[in-house]
Amino acid sequence: MFQEIETLQEAAVLRLGGISLTLGGLISGAIVIGIAVVLSWGATRGIRRLRQKASRTTQALYLLEKLVGYGILVAGVIMGLSAAGLNLSSLAVFAGAIGIGVGLGLQGVVKEFVSGLFLIFDRMVSVGDYVELDDARGAIVEIGPRATRIRTNDNINIIVPNSNLIEGKVTNWTLKGDTRRIHVPFSVAYGANRGEVRDVVLKAARAIPFTLPETEARKCQVWLVGFGESGLDFELLVWPTQEAVKRPAAMHAAYTWAIAEALDEAGIEIPFPQTDLRIRSIFGREGDDALEVLGRAPKGRTPPQPEPREPAPKASANDAAEDLLRPSPEPVDREVRDR
């Protein structure tokens, strides 16, 4: 009985050119490939769990996860084919012809796969970075063999082909694990004391817990950027934490809320649209004559004396001018800073 089973396993079930495939060889090859798939899945899962617990080496662990997963699969397939009785050297020409056909039919898939490898090794865009494309903005959670998965702050997953991140314009808000300076616009009514506006807004911004401590190169500032139709236009410049940068909508809302509360407590008016109407002549009359026609002033009234002007307020600090005079700091990567 055992001899019959052994004979059945050695019997050729497929002939390809000069190669004979036996049932026993096919079973052995399938077992080897199955073991490789299980080992690849277990190794990548273990490294992924370790990456999720780590705080500073996530990029290296993600690269290791992909290399180990792909490496075990490729080695398992080669060993499985050898165990099945295939001589890989004799199939070189045949495999080359098949490769050309597959390449012509799957150019897009091969392009995305190669682009994914470039993204993994180039590290200009990595897992965990907060990026902004033309139609997507969120954190990269996975770089797959075909596409990259971006998750927005509303927990919406956006699938972007890998080649789009290679060929298109991408804004990386957290490259090298660093933070960015944020501009928060606001306005106050004309007549407000600019120095007081600056002081109350800076105090409110520094009190927010996700505002980074100030250094010589990174300071909270308030700039006067323009004269609007109804008031003075300002901008708060602040350096938030990296986690806050990854949630720009909530971060801007938090700073805007803090600015509004600070201005209300200080009694500084927020502007609203308004229009001043100035009448220069009525029925061909001007000045007191025009007012007399309206019944607003008696004829021969002494023109009102101009009110004494208040002394000009003391000049406040100009953060924009100080920022221009400060030399630009040399960029320092996080990897160099951590050494």
Side-chain angles (χ1 to χ4, degrees):
M1 179 177 179
F2 292 103
Q3 292 180 354
E4 293 178 357
I5 296 177
E6 184 177 355
T7 303
L8 181 62
Q9 292 178 349
E10 294 178 356
V13 296
L14 179 63
R15 294 183 181 276
L16 184 63
I19 302 174
S20 297
L21 300 179
T22 64
L23 180 60
L26 292 176
I27 294 175
S28 301
I31 293 175
V32 172
I33 294 177
I35 293 174
V37 171
V38 174
L39 290 177
S40 174
W41 177 82
T44 54
R45 186 177 179 84
I47 299 175
R48 186 180 299 114
R49 288 183 177 180
L50 181 62
R51 176 170 58 87
Q52 293 173 352
K53 295 179 181 180
S55 59
R56 302 183 62 181
T57 58
T58 55
Q59 306 301 333
L61 289 176
Y62 185 81
L63 178 60
L64 179 63
E65 174 188 339
K66 292 299 181 181
L67 290 178
V68 170
Y70 292 154
I72 294 177
L73 284 177
V74 172
V77 171
I78 294 176
M79 294 175 62
L81 294 178
S82 299
L86 289 175
N87 187 355
L88 300 180
S89 60
S90 62
L91 293 177
V93 178
F94 180 72
I98 294 179
I100 293 176
V102 172
L104 293 176
L106 301 176
Q107 291 182 1
V109 176
V110 175
K111 175 184 177 181
E112 303 303 337
F113 180 76
V114 174
S115 299
L117 294 179
F118 272 103
L119 290 176
I120 293 174
F121 287 97
D122 188 52
R123 298 183 63 184
M124 297 304 292
V125 177
S126 305
V127 173
D129 288 345
Y130 192 88
V131 298
E132 181 177 353
L133 286 75
D134 294 336
D135 54 352
R137 184 172 66 177
I140 296 178
V141 295
E142 181 183 2
I143 300 178
R146 187 191 66 84
T148 297
R149 183 161 60 96
I150 299 176
R151 185 170 58 203
T152 68
N153 292 328
D154 295 328
N155 202 26
I156 299 174
N157 291 299
I158 301 176
I159 309 301
V160 180
N162 293 329
S163 59
N164 288 12
L165 300 177
I166 297 292
E167 301 172 354
K169 179 181 177 181
V170 181
T171 302
N172 192 337
W173 287 82
T174 55
L175 182 63
K176 303 299 182 181
D178 206 353
T179 185
R180 296 295 179 263
R181 186 169 68 176
I182 305 301
H183 296 241
V184 183
F186 67 96
S187 300
V188 300
Y190 281 110
N193 188 308
R194 296 185 297 274
E196 184 181 2
V197 171
R198 174 181 178 272
D199 293 340
V200 298
V201 171
L202 287 179
K203 182 179 179 181
R206 291 163 180 162
I208 295 180
F210 49 80
T211 300
L212 291 175
E214 296 188 42
T215 63
E216 184 62 27
R218 297 179 174 181
K219 290 184 176 181
C220 295
Q221 297 177 334
V222 172
W223 291 359
L224 175 62
V225 295
F227 300 94
E229 295 182 358
S230 304
L232 300 173
D233 296 331
F234 288 88
E235 278 189 0
L236 168 65
L237 282 69
V238 65
W239 295 85
T241 62
Q242 183 183 357
E243 294 302 321
V245 172
K246 294 181 179 180
R247 304 184 61 186
M251 177 188 58
H252 276 83
Y255 280 114
T256 303
W257 185 283
I259 291 173
E261 285 192 339
L263 295 178
D264 289 343
E265 293 178 358
I268 299 175
E269 182 181 357
I270 297 176
F272 56 89
Q274 55 184 338
T275 302
D276 294 334
L277 180 62
R278 182 181 179 185
I279 301 177
R280 299 195 60 180
S281 64
I282 298 178
F283 302 116
R285 301 184 182 184
E286 298 183 0
D288 292 339
D289 294 338
L291 293 175
E292 183 181 3
V293 173
L294 295 176
R296 294 293 182 178
K299 188 175 182 180
R301 184 189 63 175
T302 304
Q305 299 296 326
E307 297 181 359
R309 300 182 59 182
E310 297 182 359
K314 184 179 179 181
S316 58
N318 192 332
D319 288 336
E322 294 180 1
D323 190 75
L324 290 175
L325 295 175
R326 184 182 302 110
S328 301
E330 293 294 332
V332 179
D333 289 347
R334 180 180 179 183
E335 298 175 356
V336 177
R337 187 169 61 249
D338 293 340
R339 293 180 182 174

